[in-house]
Amino acid sequence: MGGKTLSSVALLLPLLTATANAASDPPRPRGVGPEFAKFYKDATSFSCISTPSIKLDISRLNDDYCDCPDGSDEPGTSACSSLSPLSPAQPSRFETGDAVASLPGFYCKNKGHLPSYVPFTAVNDGVCDYELCCDGSDEFEHVGGVKCEDRCAKIGKEWRKQDEARQQSLGNANRRRKELVAEAERLRKEVEDRISTLKTQIEAQEIKVQALEKTLAEVERAEKGKIVRGAGKGGKLGVLSGLAKQRIDELSENTKRVRSERDVARQRIEELEAILRRFKEEYNPNFNDEGVKRAVKAWEDYAAQERAGPDEARDRDLDEILNPESESAIKWTEFEEGEESDVEALYKFEEYLPDPIRNWLDAKLRSLRITLIENGILADPNTDAAESKAVTDARSQLDTARRELDNDRNELRNHEEDAVKDYGPDNVFRALQGRCVEQDSGEYTYEHCFLASTTQKPKKGGGNTGMGNFVRIETITVDEDLPADGKGLGSGERYALKYENGQHCWNGPNRSTQVILACAEKDEIWKIVEEEKCVYRMEMGTPAVCGVKEGKQEAAPAHNEL
Ligand code: MAN
């Protein structure tokens, strides 16, 4: 079935309901469709449809002479064919002037197929217009001896077969779209759930960060007091042992890291050697390939060299050194100076005081010293000293918590932006986001990844070219003939996905692509055109847009390509 034939289907369809009542209608004059029968009921006279004041004798109906300004007295001849025709899909009078016909054309009953209107110019023009008038009734005068046989039975049968396939395909496409919409809804819900989880998580994390900020401030303050107290001989030892422990911890961490990098490298060498061993075993020495032979020889030389294997004893020693629980590990706590010893060094008399008073006095003195340091009255003797472990730990806990909070906030922002993003009718493109479809065309394979990007891949090798990144969904109006296989845009409103800012074009713009979508059973690229240098247009079928128009779900498909 050709493109023109398909568009004639649109012309045929509005008449379906009308023919259902055809049996009860009185006989109509030649060329009159059932929806206009009411104007032709009088057996003696006829009033022009758009100007009923002009009343004609019935003999002037279909007398091959145009009497009515709207041509309604000649429904079955071509006498009024010079008037602008009425749209077949809109069987009512156009209010655009008197030179417009009231009738859409000559009505062919097409028994065995679908009734249809053929343009008045085609009536008795000596050509059988089977596409619209399969019963041949438009050539009733047999001009030039032409006789148009009735082919409706055959054409109707073929049409019904194709229509069944179209309906089945449309059914599949609609079902697929429903699945996509359900999937999109599920994904949307997931985003919403994640947003609410993140909000709760962020609230808790904010409280945690506040608490850790407080802890850090307290630890810093307490440590300041502690270092002041430790300024004597014993205090310096404590600081030294702290620094030594910190350095040893760092060295241990680095040793562990270097060891694990060594293990990974060792494993890679083993894998590479295995590949080369296989290569040597499996290559065909009968092929006189110099490059392969050289490679095999080089491998053989390499394999022949003596190499010491891993030293397990040394590794065991290392394990021992790195294990803080091992016998030989330094017991740092033995070198740490407890609060009592610092206090003791400076305030030995406290030993003679009862516990509660000693603690109270200690706290008061410490707090007094801190206040004096903070107010610049007492010099801080340890401004250059390394941060104590307690402060480092508190700070790192705070940093980690802050980082987690930042990550959560970023994720929330992304999800909130995503939740209000335009994903097309019923959010259907959410389900297709990131899904890629490819199509060969000329020297390239073109790829479209929904709501992500378009790419041009040279078939003969070489780098890919970015043809744009997704920016928005648009609606555009198209008006094209539908190919016989239905794989085309047809005419009407269509969704289009716009991709911009692709790879820069030499002497031109950054590459951009418009992907225009029409209903189809599956996702497929139909056509790729470079409309201007580096400005591309893709035509594509997808079930995602079946039965939708301007963001709304329609009862019937927007066009009949299926
Ligand atoms: C490449 C392709 C073409 C494009 C030219 C422009 O060959 O991307 O589509 O027209 O570059 O130089």
Side-chain angles (χ1 to χ4, degrees), residues 457-528:
K457 304 176 176 178
K459 283 196 225 161
K460 288 184 191 145
N464 295 347
T465 305
M467 296 159 63
N469 300 310
F470 176 69
V471 276
R472 64 184 167 274
I473 301 171
E474 306 174 327
T475 47
I476 59 161
T477 307
V478 292
D479 185 10
E480 287 181 16
D481 270 350
L482 203 55
D485 57 6
K487 295 182 176 185
L489 301 179
S491 54
E493 287 266 343
R494 297 287 173 266
Y495 278 94
L497 307 175
K498 189 79 187 159
Y499 299 81
E500 285 173 357
N501 259 325
Q503 216 155 300
H504 188 71
C505 183
W506 188 75
N507 250 346
N510 286 345
R511 286 174 174 77
S512 63
T513 317
Q514 185 182 42
V515 181
I516 310 171
L517 307 170
C519 172
E521 209 177 326
K522 60 177 192 212
D523 297 331
E524 55 185 347
I525 298 170
W526 290 327
K527 194 167 158 190
I528 301 124

Side-chain angles (χ1 to χ4, degrees), residues 444 446 456 465 505-506 511 530 533-534 536:
Y444 301 102
Y446 288 86
Q456 193 182 42
T465 305
C505 183
W506 188 75
R511 286 174 174 77
E530 191 170 344
K533 194 172 174 187
C534 298
Y536 305 87

